[in-house]
Each structure stands twice: as C-alpha cells, then as structure tokens.
Amino acid sequence: MWGWVFVLPALTYFAVFSFYPIFNAFWLSLHTKNPLSLRPPRFVGLRNYLDLLDSATFWNSWKATGLFTLGTAIPLVVLSLLLATIIVSRLNFQRFFQLAFYAPAVIPSVVAAAVWLLLLDPRGVANQWVNFVLGLSGVDHKWLANPEMVRFSTTVVYLWEKLGFFTIIFIAGLGGIPQSVKEAAHVDGAGGWQLYRYVTLPLLKPTTLLVSVMAMIFCMRTFATQYLFTQAGAPRESINVVTLSIYTTGIRDLQLGLANAMSIVLLLVMLVLSLLQFRLSGRGES
Amino acid sequence: MLNRFIRVLALMLVAAALVGGSAIAQTEIVYWTHEDPNRTALEEELIARFEADYPQYKVVRVTNPTDQMAQLILTAFAANRGPDIFNMDIPNEYPYIVNGRVAPVNPAAAGYIDEQSIYDAYLPGTLDPVTYEGELYGLPLEVTNWSIYLNMNVFRDAGLDPLTDYPKTWEQLMDVAEKLTLRDGEIITRRGFDFRYPYYLNFIPSMAAQLGGKLIGDDGKSAIVGDEAWLRVLQYFKDWGPNGKNLGSPTYKAARSIFNFDNNDIGMMESGQYQAARIHNDNPSFLPGEGWMVIPFPQWEDAVADVAEAYYGHYWMVNAQASKEKQQAAWTLLGYFASHADEFFERVAVLQPTQELLNSDMFKNAPYSDVFMSDLAKAPVIYYDENSPQVLQVLKDSIEAVMLQGKEPADVLKTMREGVERALRGEY
C-alpha cells in the first residue's frame, strides 16, 4: 500500500509528461492536422506511415541518424570509459578533472553549438589549430561547408558536450566495485591489465550497458547542433537527422500528423534497439 | 452600532470594487515583434504616448529574436495562446490569413474612414499581400526591397573607383568581387561581395526572371520554368562557392552583420534602406557618400527583363481569437503607429509606404532613396503562399547542393523542380 503512495508522484509525473504525450502523438499520427487550422484533425488511418515509407527524405534522415549514432555513441562509450579509468587512477586532482570534463554537459546545447560555430568558422580557431598541428597554411577544412565534414563536426561537438556526463557515470560505476575483489585478484597474482580486463570490466558491465543505451538514445535524439548548423548555412542533407526532420515537417511544413508519425517510428526504433541491447547483454552474462 | 458598522463596511467594499473595477476595465494588449534596437526605442516612446492618450489601454511589447519569431508565433497560435498583435515577413504571415487566424482591419479603430481610404493612403500594390478574398488583414510595419550596399573604402583599397567601377551586371559583380577578395590560402579574409543567405526567395527568382525564368508557372502547378535561365543561376552560385572561384559561402559570417563596422572584411552586401540607420547606430563615423554608397540590384548582360530584387513586407496583424475589445484596442494602436510613418522612417529607416511619406522631402532627401525607389519600381513582390517556407527550403537545399556539395546544376535543376512542385501539391 505504502509502496503505491510513494511511487504515486513519479507515476503521476510520467503519466502527465511522458505517457500522455506519447498517446497523443500516436493519436495525432493517425490524423492530418495543420497547427494553424482551427478545424479538428482529420482521421486518415495509417496513411501518414505509408507516406513515410515512400519518402526519400525520411529514409535519408534515418541514414543521417544512423551514421551519427554509430559514429558518436561508440566513441562516446569507449572514450568516457577510458577517461573515467584514467581519472580514477589519479591520486591527485580527481575532483578537478571530473569538474573540467563535466563542465560542457551543463552548457545548454544551443549555446554550445553557437560557440562551436565561431570555432568552426573558416577564419576560426579550428582551421588555425589543425593547420598549425599539421604544418599547413591557409587550408580551409570546410568544417561546415563540406557534407562529410559537417557530419564529422556534429560528432565532435556532441562528443565534447556529452563525454563528461558519461565519464561521471563510469566513475561512479568504478567506485562501486568492491576493493576486496580487487585485492583478492591481486593476491592471486593478477597484473594491472589482467585486473582491469578480468575483474573491473565484467563488474562494470551494468554501468557499461546503462551508458551504451543512454548514449544511443541521446544520439538518436540529437537536434540542437544539427539545427543550429543548418541555420548557419551548413548543407542539410548529411545532417538532416530524424529529429530535425520532425521539426521541419511539423513547424515549417505544418504537417503535424506526419511529424507525429515520424516521432512514433523514432520511439519504436529506440525501444527495439534498447531491448536488443539488454537482451544481448543478458545473453553475454549467462 | 453593528448596523452602522455593516453599512460602513458595505460602503468600503463598493468603493474598493469601483477602484478595482476601473483597473480591470483597462484593456491589455500583447504585442510580439522581432528585435531591432532602433525600432524598440521608437515604439516604446510611441506606446507611452498612446497609453497617455488612451488610458483605457495598456500595451505589453515583447521582443523575440528575428530567427525565432516564426516558430514562437506558430507554437503560440497552435496552442490558441497567440499574442494580440504580431508581425513577421509576409511569406510566414500569409498562412495565418488563409487559415482565418487573423482579424480583418478595423478601419474606424485604426483612424480611417473606410477600407478604401487605407488603400488610398498607401503606395498601390503594397497592401496586396495582405488582401485576401476582398478583405484587408494587415497594416505595413515595413515594406522593404534590398539593393547593394558598397564599402567605398574597400574599393579604394583595391585600387578601384567606387563611383565608376561599381558592378552593373552579375558578370561584372563576379569580376569586381574577385578583385576585392583577399585570401589566406583558401580562407577568405575579405569578401568582395556576398549574398544574403538564406533569404533565397528575395533574389534567386529575380535573377532567374531577368533571364526569362519563373519560379511558379502560369498554371500554378508547374515550377522552375525556363531551364536555361535556372541553369545559369545555379551555375553562377556553383562558380561563386568554395568549390568554384571561392568568393563566399553561407558558412561565413553574415555579410550584413560585419559591413557596418568598416573593418576591411566585406566590400558589398545586400540590404534594405533600414541598414542606413543601423550603420549610423553601430559606426557613426562611417558616412554615406564617403564611406558607403548604394547601387542598384545587378542585371545579367543578356537580361530579357529588367527585374530588381523582390520586395517583402512585415505587416502588423491582429489575432482573430482576441476578444472584440482587444481587437479594437489593437487596431487603435496600429493605426496610431501607422500615423507616425515619418518617425519610423526618420529614426529606424523602415519604409511604411504611405503616399504622404513617399512625397515628403525627408524621404526624398534620405541617402540613396532614389536608388531604392528605382529598384522598388522594378521589384516583384516576394513569393508568398501557404507553402512558401517549403519552397524556400527547396531553393536553399538546391543552392547549397551546387555551392557546397559540388553537384551539377543539371542534376539539381531536376530535384529543385520536383521539390517545388511537391510543395505546391502540399506533399511531403
């Protein structure tokens, strides 16, 4: 009884701010609705979903989302684990490094993207720095102008923004591994790498699973960087991720039904991929 | 004793209700507009004067970033919480008219005898974009056409005489821009000229129209009419971009945002007459006729039609869902604003094209009014329809495809036509 009382606020919150919008989005996805029109939505069944299957733009946005997620989520998990391991192994300045790496996570995505726009300007620091490192002069790397480079730029910005956040989660996970287990392995003669490979990593598996699922979901929901980059003149096609496509379909094209159908498809794909990750992780454990 | 106390209490309550009642009787109207520091100062003064003249009205003026206006207003209207008054550019405003979200002008409240007297007060044609099914739905905050602003110091620095060497044709523009452009390797440190990305509806259709092309066919269903004209335009942008002559790109800082500071980084750019007030504001020592001048929108050497850059309007509109009292108050305020067209021109340099202002010495003597008016006479109105944001997106994608992605104009022409025709059919 008391259990229900305690979870009631959370259930109410999710019901109002998560479940209701999802059901409403699904209901709208079966209708056509212009947000400016005062007429009620018109029921069209699955037509919006069928239109999406026929749309080259929709498939291109999935390609952009897939490439971005693959290119960002995997480095995000690997690098944040690496950083967390390095920071935990430091005897001094642990707090400083945690703070330094976490700082970008508290900057709003829009502000971060705006700062990066200045850096990636042809006359900005990015060109100067890369040219200095590579010993080049006057080369424009076209961070925002070339379709492949703009895809790379969004990945860099996202990595910079989210790396600290996932590093902190890994640090918490590493801190949760009992010292006694490590000591036992040490007594059994395990070296540094063996300890890490056969003790730390397996015990860190729940954290790794959590981080990989979160990283994948975060990457599939990316929006602000791509939106601001296209507003700043970057070519849209290569970074027209699903969320950006949902925005343009709903807000610019005034097709709310279609935009909601895209949102439902995105939700289902994220759900299936998350379940798959849990399933694969469970199989590995058994 | 108790009776007297009750009577006094009742009297006090009635008095409080009357005082409170008079406060409640004040009609509050909310006005959303885009940022413009010069206009904000003027409108806040006008609102203060208006509220003194009409104590029954209270105005709440809210400014929003220009590039956020369309989505903020759309979101507000979608939730039936739109402001009582708003303004945007006409391609974004037109769907509000078509969908019945804005109220027709109330001529009496706005200080006119009837609707016809409003049309008579303005330059013919400038109210056409807000006329729908015989009714008028807006008053112009500004009607603007862009010409080319030229930094005379940059010309002199490159050994050119701005008064004689300024470009008259698109071909000359590319040549002059090449002479003015400075680079550090591939990186441009001074652009000779750059376009006003991503406002492609303002200039791309006009460039094609000079060569006989049309954005929308006469049947209203076909699009990108006149292959040769459109191919020439696309090729021009391909040549202009970083993979061609490398004269500019949408990814460089907007030319108009750096022009005012005269930092030897931009030679020419597109803007409206309002830019003069912004230059004065940002850099008072950068003077017309000495530091900068304005030249007409270029033509192709073999142009078949004399067409200037399209003009657009920002129109004040009133929310149809606002109460009748608020609508009355809103049109009274907007009529009051419109009656100060001279102050808007003098202090903000935005043109509210009233006959009275256009015939005034103040307007005629303003720097380069003759150039802007000459271009305006040749300017079509910007393309506006329910689908204009989608059409703009197709143009943007097409220009970026040739400029940045290295695609061939012939291939892009096909996708551009398909995209615009799909937008005309209302398809995704």
Side-chain angles (χ1 to χ4, degrees):
Chain A
M1 169 64 190
W2 280 107
W4 282 107
V5 172
F6 285 125
V7 298
L8 195 63
L11 279 179
T12 311
Y13 175 84
F14 281 111
V16 173
F17 295 106
S18 293
F19 299 137
Y20 168 70
I22 290 171
F23 288 128
N24 192 45
F26 177 68
W27 181 81
L28 261 177
S29 74
L30 303 175
H31 296 74
T32 55
K33 171 68 184 160
N34 175 342
L36 277 183
S37 171
L38 291 169
R39 291 194 203 113
R42 189 165 59 86
F43 182 75
V44 292
L46 294 174
R47 204 189 78 193
N48 286 328
Y49 292 93
L50 296 174
D51 283 352
L52 289 181
L53 291 177
D54 269 348
S55 161
T57 312
F58 181 65
W59 290 113
N60 174 65
S61 67
W62 272 107
K63 181 184 163 194
T65 302
L67 287 173
F68 178 79
T69 304
L70 278 177
T72 312
I74 295 169
L76 206 48
V77 175
V78 174
L79 289 175
S80 53
L81 175 60
L82 199 67
L83 265 180
T85 309
I86 293 169
I87 290 172
V88 167
S89 69
R90 305 286 308 173
L91 292 176
N92 300 317
F93 303 114
Q94 272 201 27
R95 292 273 176 216
F96 169 76
F97 285 117
Q98 286 179 28
L99 190 69
F101 284 109
Y102 191 72
V106 297
I107 299 173
S109 300
V110 175
V111 177
V115 170
W116 275 92
L117 276 177
L118 292 176
L119 301 177
L120 299 173
D121 182 274
R123 283 165 298 178
V125 173
N127 269 341
Q128 292 171 18
W129 187 78
V130 171
N131 285 342
F132 173 76
V133 169
L134 299 177
L136 303 169
S137 175
V139 177
D140 182 2
H141 297 279
K142 300 189 175 88
W143 305 99
L144 297 174
N146 179 290
E148 300 308 321
M149 286 303 286
V150 77
R151 189 178 278 149
F152 175 69
S153 299
T154 52
T155 296
V156 169
V157 174
Y158 208 76
L159 276 175
W160 171 82
E161 204 183 326
K162 298 287 184 236
L163 194 60
F165 176 75
F166 290 117
T167 302
I168 295 292
I169 296 178
F170 270 124
I171 287 173
L174 287 167
I177 297 173
Q179 195 63 26
S180 56
V181 179
K182 291 183 188 171
E183 282 167 2
H186 195 64
V187 169
D188 287 344
W193 168 245
Q194 286 171 315
L195 188 72
Y196 189 71
R197 169 72 182 82
Y198 297 107
V199 177
T200 306
L201 283 185
L203 289 175
L204 203 58
K205 202 169 178 185
T207 311
T208 312
L209 177 67
L210 173 76
V211 167
S212 58
V213 170
M214 282 177 75
M216 183 201 70
I217 291 174
F218 276 32
C219 288
M220 292 184 88
R221 287 169 46 190
T222 180
F223 172 75
T225 311
Q226 285 81 356
Y227 171 73
L228 274 180
F229 278 14
T230 52
Q231 292 292 101
R236 189 172 64 123
E237 194 176 303
S238 60
I239 55 169
N240 189 23
V241 288
V242 175
T243 48
L244 187 60
S245 215
I246 291 170
Y247 169 82
T248 48
T249 307
I251 301 293
R252 188 204 63 199
D253 303 348
L254 307 177
Q255 300 194 46
L256 275 191
L258 206 55
N260 277 293
M262 294 162 92
S263 304
I264 293 296
V265 173
L266 179 63
L267 174 75
L268 290 176
V269 171
M270 287 197 296
L271 210 61
V272 168
L273 288 177
S274 301
L275 287 174
L276 205 65
Q277 271 176 294
F278 277 109
R279 184 67 62 87
L280 288 174
S281 163
R283 191 178 295 169
E285 209 160 330
S286 63
Chain B
M1 182 67 187
L2 184 67
N3 237 352
R4 183 177 294 172
F5 174 73
I6 290 169
R7 272 185 213 156
V8 170
L9 191 68
L11 215 66
M12 284 168 70
L13 284 173
V14 169
L18 283 174
V19 172
S22 68
I24 291 165
Q26 198 180 38
T27 304
E28 182 179 286
I29 43 175
V30 177
Y31 166 35
W32 284 12
T33 188
H34 61 281
E35 287 169 343
D36 180 344
N38 292 332
R39 189 163 58 83
T40 294
L42 171 62
E43 286 186 356
E44 282 178 354
E45 275 180 42
L46 289 176
I47 287 169
R49 277 147 55 184
F50 174 80
E51 286 176 337
D53 290 351
Y54 298 89
Q56 70 272 34
Y57 298 143
K58 178 174 169 49
V59 182
V60 178
R61 184 179 186 276
V62 181
T63 54
N64 297 299
T66 308
D67 57 353
Q68 301 290 312
M69 279 293 284
Q71 71 187 58
L72 287 173
I73 290 179
L74 175 70
T75 313
F77 269 88
N80 294 324
R81 292 280 185 276
D84 303 311
I85 304 172
F86 67 95
N87 71 271
M88 282 190 290
D89 57 330
I90 188 61
N92 277 308
E93 281 183 315
Y94 193 70
Y96 290 76
I97 302 177
V98 176
N99 285 290
R101 301 307 299 266
V102 289
V105 176
N106 178 340
Y112 295 89
I113 301 165
D114 54 20
E115 206 170 80
Q116 188 54 47
S117 63
I118 302 178
Y119 284 102
D120 294 342
Y122 285 92
L123 184 70
T126 50
L127 296 179
D128 289 354
V130 282
T131 302
Y132 181 70
E133 293 183 345
E135 285 205 272
L136 180 64
Y137 284 90
L139 291 176
L141 159 63
E142 61 169 292
V143 168
T144 303
N145 65 311
W146 296 342
S147 295
I148 310 291
Y149 278 75
L150 181 156
N151 185 321
M152 301 168 85
N153 298 325
V154 168
F155 266 65
R156 292 180 195 117
D157 186 64
L160 298 173
D161 182 348
L163 297 175
T164 54
D165 295 332
Y166 72 84
K168 288 97 185 166
T169 66
W170 290 111
E171 291 83 354
Q172 287 174 7
L173 181 76
M174 195 173 268
D175 291 342
V176 172
E178 180 67 63
K179 287 175 187 158
L180 299 177
T181 299
L182 298 176
R183 298 182 188 87
D184 170 17
E186 298 168 351
I187 300 167
I188 304 172
T189 53
R190 181 175 79 186
R191 278 171 289 171
F193 167 79
D194 214 353
F195 290 91
R196 191 152 169 179
Y197 315 101
Y199 299 94
Y200 298 105
L201 279 174
N202 292 59
F203 50 93
I204 298 281
S206 291
M207 289 175 77
Q210 291 174 1
L211 295 166
K214 284 180 181 172
L215 178 67
I216 310 293
D218 294 334
D219 58 4
K221 292 175 185 168
S222 57
I224 313 296
V225 178
D227 283 14
E228 205 179 316
W230 285 97
L231 285 171
R232 284 272 296 280
V233 174
L234 290 171
Q235 185 62 47
Y236 193 85
F237 279 89
K238 186 176 173 69
D239 294 343
W240 191 272
N243 300 317
K245 291 176 185 286
N246 192 22
L247 296 169
S249 155
T251 56
Y252 277 89
K253 205 165 181 187
R256 72 182 182 286
S257 67
I258 55 177
F259 183 89
N260 299 1
F261 302 99
D262 187 26
N263 281 334
N264 197 31
D265 48 12
I266 183 77
M268 294 174 282
M269 59 97 188
E270 300 162 90
S271 198
Q273 207 159 0
Y274 60 81
Q275 192 75 27
R278 295 185 184 183
I279 293 173
H280 179 72
N281 223 28
D282 289 341
N283 189 359
S285 62
F286 192 34
L287 296 171
E290 294 175 22
W292 60 269
M293 57 187 264
V294 179
I295 59 170
F297 188 65
Q299 306 286 316
W300 296 97
E301 278 172 5
D302 55 347
V304 295
D306 193 3
V307 182
E309 194 145 355
Y311 75 85
Y312 64 93
H314 273 253
Y315 294 85
W316 283 308
M317 291 187 174
V318 172
N319 188 345
Q321 285 179 304
S323 66
K324 290 291 167 206
E325 292 75 24
K326 281 177 185 275
Q327 288 187 25
Q328 168 94 10
W331 287 120
T332 309
L333 173 71
L334 296 179
Y336 186 80
F337 276 171
S339 68
H340 292 81
D342 53 339
E343 285 187 65
F344 275 92
F345 186 75
E346 190 179 6
R347 293 177 52 184
V348 194
V350 294
L351 178 66
Q352 293 168 11
T354 60
Q355 299 284 9
E356 191 182 347
L357 175 66
L358 295 173
N359 291 319
S360 69
D361 287 341
M362 181 179 67
F363 176 75
K364 287 176 182 166
N365 295 331
Y368 305 105
S369 272
D370 55 334
V371 179
F372 283 105
M373 286 311 287
S374 162
D375 266 359
L376 184 60
K378 299 181 281 184
V381 65
I382 196 166
Y383 175 71
Y384 62 94
D385 205 338
E386 264 198 291
N387 51 39
S388 45
Q390 289 151 273
V391 173
L392 173 62
Q393 184 67 55
V394 175
L395 292 187
K396 181 176 184 291
D397 289 345
S398 305
I399 297 297
E400 286 168 1
V402 290
M403 272 186 107
L404 305 176
Q405 298 173 37
K407 291 190 178 171
E408 286 306 315
D411 299 331
V412 172
L413 181 74
K414 190 169 166 282
T415 54
M416 180 160 65
R417 178 174 294 130
E418 283 169 3
V420 176
E421 289 181 352
R422 211 166 37 241
L424 293 179
R425 292 194 298 269
E427 291 173 9
Y428 173 60

